[in-house]
């Protein structure tokens, strides 16, 4: 079974609109972490945001927030007030277990922001 | 701070040739990683090193070896390159024992003919 599922291969959004990128995960470990990365067309991987399974509040970093719904095993990334520079591939990833080092990545969602 | 650096940026090999990809970080991080990214895919972990002196296999270790030379440097070696190893290779590092953030190098684009 896929550990991380990103069901939207591509999304198109108007500039300044909010965007939600979907991510569902599968684990039986009570301790895990969820990550989002951005990969622009230049190719680098940029760490955006992290949510721990025991964190009570949804993580936020500037215009990025993580909508964490534990019962649904969902960790959607929300980008507020989208900008042209947000056009990129976005990857969701998970770490299973406290002290674990391995991250498993989803296949990504390509986000295009239209002017 | 340069963050995570990788050399080379691009490489073309013939089948059977060997090469070493170099990675260094200047953030005093304990853990380092090597991933590969195939076209249209997410990243897959090849090897990682949780601390200086230790290395462990990831999801796709076959055909690769690694060396954690010191706290700063983590190299990836292809002993006998195969076309299936054509990919973009990323090195990454993270500060602590439990990964809550991970920072990536710019990547090496490797083509094996």
């Amino acid at each position: 079974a896929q550990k991380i599922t990103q069901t939207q291969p591509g999304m198109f959004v108007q500039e300044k609109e909010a965007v939600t990128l979907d991510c569902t995960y599968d684990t039986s470990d009570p301790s895990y972490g969820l990550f989002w990365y951005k990969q622009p067309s230049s190719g680098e991987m940029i760490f955006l945001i992290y949510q721990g399974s025991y964190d009570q509040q949804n993580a936020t970093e500037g215009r990025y927030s993580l909508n964490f719904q534990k019962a649904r095993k969902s960790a959607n990334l929300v980008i507020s007030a989208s900008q042209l520079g947000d056009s990129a591939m976005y990857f969701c990833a998970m770490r299973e277990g406290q002290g674990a080092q391995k991250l498993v990545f989803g296949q990504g969602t390509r986000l295009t922001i239209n002017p | 701070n340069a963050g995570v650096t990788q050399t080379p940026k691009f490489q073309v090999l013939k089948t059977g040739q060997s090469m070493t990809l170099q990675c260094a970080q200047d953030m005093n991080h304990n853990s380092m990683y090597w991933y590969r990214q195939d076209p249209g895919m997410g990243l897959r972990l090849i090897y990682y090193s949780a601390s200086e002196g230790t290395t462990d296999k990831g999801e796709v270790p076959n055909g690769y070896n690694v060396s954690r030379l010191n706290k700063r440097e983590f190299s990836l070696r292809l002993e006998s390159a195969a076309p299936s190893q054509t990919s973009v290779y990323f090195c990454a590092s993270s500060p602590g024992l439990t990964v809550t953030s991970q920072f990536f190098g710019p990547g090496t684009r490797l083509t094996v003919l």
Side-chain angles (χ1 to χ4, degrees):
Chain A
Q2 292 271 18
K3 292 279 187 181
I4 294 286
T5 302
Q6 295 182 253
T7 56
Q8 308 150 309
M11 282 195 69
F12 296 84
V13 171
Q14 286 299 119
E15 192 180 4
K16 299 192 179 115
E17 287 183 354
V19 180
T20 298
L21 304 181
D22 295 341
C23 173
T24 56
Y25 59 92
D26 182 25
T27 182
S28 56
D29 198 309
S31 177
Y32 54 90
L34 297 154
F35 304 74
W36 277 93
Y37 288 86
K38 174 183 179 181
Q39 187 176 41
S41 57
S42 51
E44 72 266 35
M45 293 288 289
I46 302 167
F47 167 67
L48 294 177
I49 197 165
Y50 168 79
Q51 178 86 42
S53 59
Y54 295 120
D55 293 344
Q56 296 294 315
Q57 308 256 13
N58 285 346
T60 60
E61 289 286 349
R63 291 185 302 113
Y64 304 107
S65 60
L66 200 152
N67 184 2
F68 182 43
Q69 298 189 42
K70 205 167 181 175
R72 293 186 176 186
K73 294 191 173 178
S74 150
N76 298 340
L77 178 71
V78 180
I79 307 175
S80 63
S82 59
Q83 302 171 356
L84 296 178
D86 294 333
S87 293
M89 282 290 287
Y90 288 81
F91 291 97
C92 179
M94 177 175 66
R95 179 207 79 233
E96 289 183 277
Q98 191 70 14
Q101 294 288 319
K102 299 180 185 182
L103 263 62
V104 176
F105 283 76
Q107 295 207 313
T109 294
R110 181 170 297 282
L111 175 64
T112 303
I113 308 296
N114 295 316
Chain B
N1 282 356
V4 181
T5 57
Q6 291 181 237
T7 55
K9 284 188 168 27
F10 301 93
Q11 184 72 47
V12 179
L13 292 178
K14 293 181 180 175
T15 297
Q17 287 186 316
S18 62
M19 79 160 295
T20 300
L21 281 64
Q22 306 284 357
C23 174
Q25 52 91 10
D26 63 2
M27 296 176 283
N28 200 35
H29 285 174
N30 288 311
S31 303
M32 297 184 74
Y33 313 81
W34 277 105
Y35 290 91
R36 61 178 287 174
Q37 184 180 30
D38 298 318
M41 303 278 289
L43 276 68
R44 291 184 293 169
L45 183 64
I46 304 171
Y47 270 95
Y48 66 98
S49 170
S51 61
E52 189 179 350
T54 70
T55 60
D56 283 287
K57 294 179 181 179
E59 190 183 345
V60 288
N62 290 347
Y64 305 96
N65 285 303
V66 290
S67 295
R68 183 76 183 266
L69 303 167
N70 47 56
K71 192 170 185 179
R72 287 188 64 247
E73 298 172 290
F74 189 38
S75 63
L76 178 73
R77 183 158 177 86
L78 287 70
E79 290 291 351
S80 178
S84 60
Q85 294 178 304
T86 293
S87 192
V88 179
Y89 290 85
F90 287 97
C91 178
S93 70
S94 68
L97 182 60
T98 295
V99 182
T100 58
S101 60
Q102 204 169 71
F103 299 93
F104 283 78
T108 295
R109 188 173 294 275
L110 176 66
T111 302
V112 184
L113 303 174

